[in-house]
Amino acid sequence: MSGKNIVYFDLETQRSADEVGGWGKISQMGMSIGVTYSTARESYTIYQESEVENLISELQRADLVVGFNHIRFDYEVLHGYTPFDLRQLPSLDMLIDLHKALNHRLKLDSIAHATFGVEKISNGLQALRWFKQGKLYEIAEYCCFDVKITKMVYEYGATYGQLFYNNRFGNKLSVGVNWSLN
């Protein structure tokens, strides 16, 4: 790969939109677990809420932060912990990029299933239940798998210039992307 430090990123929250008074208050949801994969380190890092400053520092040091809906959601959660505007970081939000190409939103699961035949191992609502039960290990495992899928999707798109997804009728379609690993 390149000498760039690409950081793939996802997080889960402590509270739902309903619990904080709506989607306009994402910064009040609180992070339960955040996960990164750094191409410079070639490893995953799991962050608990007490380590959120370290997570933010890692994102700030990245040459590129790659995620799926991380600009609108994950960065907004982190804005509850920092005055720094994370939207200023060099970022590729695959959801935003794919929405521009297709004029509708895709789910990461739809892309992963159509492109690789894999599915996410859980969902955000289950992660909220796990948090309330104190099951941080389960959240970390789920979040790590989401980061792995995010990395796989980005690398596939960058390598082949396209991704596959299933539409709402179950048909497998493709969409072109212009991403680069360099």
Side-chain angles (χ1 to χ4, degrees):
M1 228 170 269
S2 71
K4 281 189 175 182
N5 181 27
I6 299 173
V7 174
Y8 301 91
F9 164 61
D10 187 36
L11 64 72
E12 297 304 321
T13 63
Q14 299 174 11
R15 292 174 289 283
S16 69
D18 288 344
E19 290 174 293
V20 299
W23 288 105
K25 298 181 179 181
I26 293 171
S27 66
Q28 295 176 24
M29 290 181 173
M31 181 184 86
S32 61
I33 294 289
V35 173
T36 60
Y37 178 91
S38 163
T39 58
R41 277 192 328 269
E42 296 184 345
S43 66
Y44 293 88
T45 303
I46 299 167
Y47 297 94
Q48 295 184 41
E49 184 184 32
S50 61
E51 303 164 302
V52 72
E53 289 178 14
N54 295 335
L55 167 60
I56 292 168
S57 293
E58 180 177 4
L59 298 175
Q60 290 173 317
R61 288 190 311 270
D63 293 311
L64 180 65
V65 179
V66 176
F68 199 88
N69 197 28
H70 74 287
I71 291 176
R72 185 187 156 274
F73 184 74
D74 303 58
Y75 281 175
E76 289 304 314
V77 172
L78 293 178
H79 284 151
Y81 299 95
T82 181
F84 182 75
D85 184 357
L86 297 166
R87 295 170 298 182
Q88 295 178 17
L89 298 176
S91 299
L92 173 67
D93 189 320
M94 294 186 291
L95 178 62
I96 292 172
D97 202 51
L98 292 166
H99 184 267
K100 286 178 187 171
L102 296 169
N103 209 26
H104 63 86
R105 292 169 58 107
L106 289 177
K107 293 185 178 210
L108 183 59
D109 212 26
S110 168
I111 299 163
H113 186 261
T115 306
F116 306 111
V118 299
E119 295 178 353
K120 293 174 52 157
I121 60 173
S122 194
N123 61 58
L125 294 176
Q126 179 61 54
L128 287 169
R129 288 190 288 275
W130 283 331
F131 180 76
K132 287 165 182 41
Q133 297 166 353
K135 295 181 176 180
L136 296 181
Y137 177 84
E138 286 82 350
I139 300 168
E141 183 178 47
Y142 162 58
C143 204
C144 282
F145 194 74
D146 269 12
V147 170
K148 182 176 184 172
I149 289 175
T150 299
K151 180 179 181 292
M152 290 169 59
V153 167
Y154 175 76
E155 290 175 347
Y156 187 95
T159 302
Y160 298 105
Q162 71 173 345
L163 294 170
F164 298 96
Y165 66 97
N166 294 316
N167 69 9
R168 63 181 178 209
F169 305 110
N171 300 320
K172 184 174 174 177
L173 304 173
S174 69
V175 58
V177 295
N178 188 17
W179 303 333
S180 172
L181 292 172
N182 300 319

